Amino acid sequence: MQMDEDPVRLDHLRRQQFELLQRQATRSPFIIAVVVAVLAYVVAEHVPLYLVGPWALVQILLPFLRRGYALRRLGDPPADVKGALEQMVWYAFFAGLVTGAAGPLFFPALHPEGKALLSMILVCWIAGGVSTMAAYARVFYAFATPALLSLALLWAMEGDARSIAVALLILLFGLILAFFVHDTERVVRESFAIRYDNERLLAALERERQEVSFARDRAEEANLAKSRFLAAASHDLRQPLHALSLFSATLSLRAVDSTAGEIARHINTALASLSTLVDSLLDISKLDAGAVRPELRRVNVKELVERIEADFRPLARDKGLMFRVAPVEAHVETDPVLLERMVRNLVDNAIKYTAMGSVSLDAKADERTVRIAVRDTGPGIAESERERIFKEFYQVGNPERDRGKGLGLGLAIVRRLARLLDLEVQLDSEPGRGSTFAVTLPRMPEERAKPRPPRPPVTDDADALIGARVLVIDDELSVRVGTRTLLESWGCRVAACSGFDEAQRLLDDYALDVDVILADFRLPQHENGIETVRRLRARLGNVPALMVSGDTAPERLREAQASGLPFLHKPVPADKLKQTMLTVLRR
Ligand code: ADP
């Protein structure tokens, strides 16, 4: 068995065998004492006491001494177990000699029945040794051989045929016992091997489990640290970006000549692409932080495709690409915002990476599913890159990290969104010929056509905010000035402050009336914008309010969602700010 090739396992096996022997040795002396007493009683009538007495004494003392040793060894296993087993073999041999001595000592004085009785007791005794010594066969052989041999020899020496037959029978019996012990020891070895291997397997599994859980904890920690870092970085970026966009919006409104107007437009374009980059960072940190929960709705696929088409057609036209759409009249149940974000990212990539040819956005439906596919005739994606492109910050062929070519987050966001929506993004591509990204959603049964609710009118009433009294709370001076300038150019009356205390003073000193509060989320001295609005409302009544924040830390985002206040992320485009203000004022 291969067990013997592994020294550690062999050592473990020997220890196990040694322990089994010791356990048996703690129990057997009591039975041996009884057997010795019976034997002494049987022979005492014919054998002189000076022979029976010392023999019986030694036979009883020996097992009890052995028991003492066994008890000690069970508590304190030997360092050299091989040597200890060897000693066991020698001890057994000695015990076998003493047991076998009963033959030559008592035989001559006994009549035939006495001899038979003595032989029977001795043979039974030796057979009993099987149960106590089978764990280590050599111990049994060492014990049984001298005892049985001396008995067989004595019978053989009687000379008559019957006695010789008895001698042979004793030898045969010994042989059978030896086979039996040999097999029993094999069973002991095998069951030990199975247990040992199982234990090792379990230990290895446990180690592996611990390693995996350690690695997972570290990965989660690293991921959390990353999303915290991103959140912090995008907050710091958003502040000046927001102020800039407020100023540039005012600048385009007030441009005195066409050159200034042109510059203002360029600034706006640059700001828009900067905002997109910051938005990607924000999106991914939000997704990683688990701050995005899908809200399932019935979604009209045709409308979704048409909305995306309307936004991207000009972009495709500018690049000289054909933009084909094949919308389908079907519904799916999903989060419309997240699905749209996903498809938009795919279309955006398709247009970005395709220099010539076409981009198509198809939706196909069968009875059970709707498949939305974005196909392009761009460069395609090599097999080896197909998994990697979904990793964050990974880009093919942009070693110079030209920001104009994106951040490498688009597909990472797509994958996370897909996971949230329980979808799988399929990618087919033939390098040099193009790529197809697709998702398949379960189709919803069609309802009978219902009249569509009228869309809320999109107000872009230039004068709608004239005279509105706005309280702006932001700790950053540039943002306060920027907001004030923009709001005033819309005709609002603006009071700006940096936090609750200052707002209190303004309200006290000027007896201000407020129509709407525009509050930053993170204010000095750990003041929280939501709390500030709540406290001001206690004084002003239920004034409409909206939050503007560059803080994307996951906890903040969850808090913001829970507050129920409209929440705008810096940098806020001027028209979005205006729309949201109009909405809250109208409520
Ligand atoms: P980004 O577009 O910001 O570089 P993405 O995560 O969206 O980042 O894409 C990762 C990489 O996958 C890109 O650098 C690009 O090389 C490759 N890729 C994505 N979409 C396409 C496409 N439709 N055709 C060819 N390559 C693509």
Side-chain angles (χ1 to χ4, degrees):
M1 201 185 294
Q2 92 227 38
M3 172 187 333
D4 303 332
E5 289 154 18
D6 178 350
V8 180
R9 187 153 79 159
L10 189 60
D11 187 66
H12 273 83
L13 169 68
R14 285 190 179 128
R15 287 185 182 282
Q16 171 103 34
Q17 290 174 308
F18 183 79
E19 193 189 315
L20 281 171
L21 285 180
Q22 307 317 309
R23 281 195 192 292
Q24 296 299 343
T26 59
R27 294 177 201 132
S28 54
F30 304 101
I31 302 166
I32 294 176
V34 173
V35 175
V36 170
V38 171
L39 199 145
Y41 171 74
V42 167
V43 299
E45 202 182 320
H46 307 285
V47 182
L49 189 65
Y50 66 86
L51 282 180
V52 181
W55 178 84
L57 206 65
V58 172
Q59 275 296 31
I60 291 177
L61 267 181
L62 260 186
F64 276 99
L65 287 175
R66 167 85 180 79
R67 181 174 191 265
Y69 170 81
L71 285 173
R72 216 177 49 247
R73 277 310 183 203
L74 280 173
D76 174 27
D80 173 17
V81 71
K82 194 174 170 216
L85 277 173
E86 211 53 44
Q87 285 172 9
M88 294 291 99
V89 174
W90 281 110
Y91 167 80
F93 183 67
F94 180 63
L97 281 180
V98 175
T99 309
L105 283 178
F106 310 146
F107 239 60
L110 294 172
H111 50 82
E113 292 86 54
K115 285 177 189 165
L117 201 57
L118 173 69
S119 301
M120 198 190 79
I121 295 175
L122 283 175
V123 166
C124 287
W125 181 343
I126 292 159
V130 170
S131 64
T132 57
M133 297 176 221
Y136 195 61
R138 284 181 56 213
V139 167
F140 177 78
Y141 304 151
F143 171 70
T145 311
L148 285 176
L149 268 185
S150 84
L151 205 58
L153 206 65
L154 284 171
W155 277 102
M157 275 159 52
E158 296 283 304
D160 61 298
R162 254 192 356 199
S163 303
I164 292 177
V166 171
L168 286 175
L169 216 61
I170 290 173
L171 289 180
L172 189 67
F173 184 68
L175 217 61
I176 291 172
L177 285 185
F179 282 131
F180 181 70
V181 168
H182 176 265
D183 282 352
T184 311
E185 195 206 65
R186 210 191 57 224
V187 172
V188 169
R189 279 166 174 264
E190 280 174 3
S191 65
F192 162 80
I194 292 170
R195 213 184 66 198
Y196 180 79
D197 286 349
N198 278 349
E199 278 169 6
R200 292 246 299 217
L201 213 65
L202 274 179
L205 275 177
E206 177 59 15
R207 249 196 327 274
E208 231 163 74
R209 199 190 60 78
Q210 279 177 358
E211 273 164 21
V212 167
S213 110
F214 181 65
R216 195 195 49 219
D217 287 354
R218 284 188 46 159
E220 272 170 12
E221 228 169 73
N223 203 22
L224 227 75
K226 185 196 70 186
S227 71
R228 255 183 253 123
F229 165 76
L230 283 176
S234 55
H235 172 263
D236 295 347
L237 275 172
R238 270 160 201 284
Q239 284 296 87
L241 213 54
H242 181 57
L244 256 177
S245 73
L246 296 171
F247 283 124
S248 99
T250 317
L251 189 62
S252 13
L253 283 175
R254 296 203 176 162
V256 278
D257 55 44
S258 62
T259 323
E262 185 73 2
I263 292 172
R265 258 192 306 284
H266 283 310
I267 294 176
N268 272 334
T269 317
L271 275 174
S273 87
L274 205 57
S275 306
T276 314
L277 294 183
V278 174
D279 274 343
S280 301
L281 281 172
L282 172 63
D283 273 353
I284 206 133
S285 64
K286 264 202 295 192
L287 287 168
D288 277 355
V292 180
R293 300 254 176 279
E295 281 177 31
L296 303 188
R297 305 249 165 78
R298 188 179 168 80
V299 179
N300 183 324
V301 177
K302 184 159 184 264
E303 285 177 7
L304 180 125
V305 168
E306 283 171 354
R307 252 194 325 271
I308 298 177
E309 180 201 4
D311 286 353
F312 283 96
R313 188 166 287 289
L315 212 67
R317 196 179 38 229
D318 289 351
K319 274 195 84 175
L321 297 173
M322 291 237 286
F323 189 35
R324 299 201 191 97
V325 280
V328 66
E329 194 63 71
H331 288 86
V332 289
E333 188 180 39
T334 187
D335 182 314
V337 178
L338 302 186
L339 178 68
E340 187 165 329
R341 181 75 218 254
M342 223 170 104
V343 181
R344 274 175 184 276
N345 275 10
L346 294 175
V347 174
D348 187 55
N349 273 354
I351 295 178
K352 194 161 63 177
Y353 294 109
T354 305
M356 240 173 23
S358 66
V359 169
S360 52
L361 170 58
D362 303 333
K364 285 207 176 74
D366 59 23
E367 256 174 37
R368 300 238 206 98
T369 60
V370 177
R371 183 173 189 265
I372 302 176
V374 179
R375 208 183 305 271
D376 66 54
T377 55
I381 296 152
E383 181 90 50
S384 57
E385 301 284 4
R386 282 182 208 164
E387 186 50 41
R388 271 183 269 172
I389 52 169
F390 287 96
K391 299 233 151 39
E392 51 279 75
F393 301 108
Y394 186 82
Q395 294 180 295
V396 186
N398 187 13
E400 68 278 18
R401 297 206 70 75
D402 172 1
R403 284 289 75 82
K405 292 185 185 167
L407 268 184
L409 283 176
L411 290 177
I413 291 173
V414 166
R415 170 159 284 179
R416 283 165 171 75
L417 289 170
R419 238 178 251 150
L420 265 186
L421 297 178
D422 210 8
L423 299 175
E424 194 191 334
V425 184
Q426 295 145 351
L427 166 58
D428 266 325
S429 180
E430 217 179 305
R433 313 200 63 165
S435 321
T436 305
F437 290 83
V439 284
T440 305
L441 301 100
R443 182 174 182 174
M444 278 188 101
E446 297 307 311
E447 286 172 353
R448 252 180 287 133
K450 273 194 271 176
R452 281 195 198 165
R455 287 195 183 188
V458 181
T459 347
D460 195 12
D461 186 349
D463 302 333
L465 286 172
I466 289 179
R469 290 157 299 189
V470 190
L471 177 62
V472 176
I473 310 173
D474 199 302
D475 55 330
E476 207 153 303
L477 181 65
S478 63
V479 175
R480 285 203 301 273
V481 177
T483 315
R484 175 194 286 279
T485 322
L486 180 63
L487 293 180
E488 282 176 349
S489 75
W490 291 339
C492 303
R493 282 185 282 156
V494 180
C497 60
S498 67
F500 179 74
D501 293 340
E502 213 181 315
Q504 284 270 67
R505 269 199 301 280
L506 278 179
L507 294 176
D508 288 343
D509 294 351
Y510 301 100
L512 283 183
D513 274 333
V514 177
D515 294 322
V516 58
I517 303 173
L518 211 71
D520 185 22
F521 189 85
R522 201 194 311 189
L523 295 169
Q525 270 113 42
H526 304 292
E527 197 176 318
N528 168 335
I530 296 175
E531 195 46 43
T532 308
V533 168
R534 217 171 273 144
R535 287 165 76 190
L536 284 173
R537 276 178 167 175
R539 170 172 182 167
L540 295 169
N542 207 10
V543 191
L546 61 105
M547 305 297 304
V548 182
S549 175
D551 197 333
T552 64
E555 311 84 62
R556 293 294 101 65
L557 295 175
R558 285 202 197 93
E559 215 174 314
Q561 276 174 352
S563 76
L565 290 171
F567 208 81
L568 298 174
H569 292 298
K570 291 177 182 176
V572 185
D575 38 349
K576 185 155 186 187
L577 179 63
K578 191 182 216 175
Q579 277 308 323
T580 318
M581 283 177 65
L582 286 170
T583 313
V584 294
L585 277 169
R586 231 179 276 129
R587 265 186 206 155

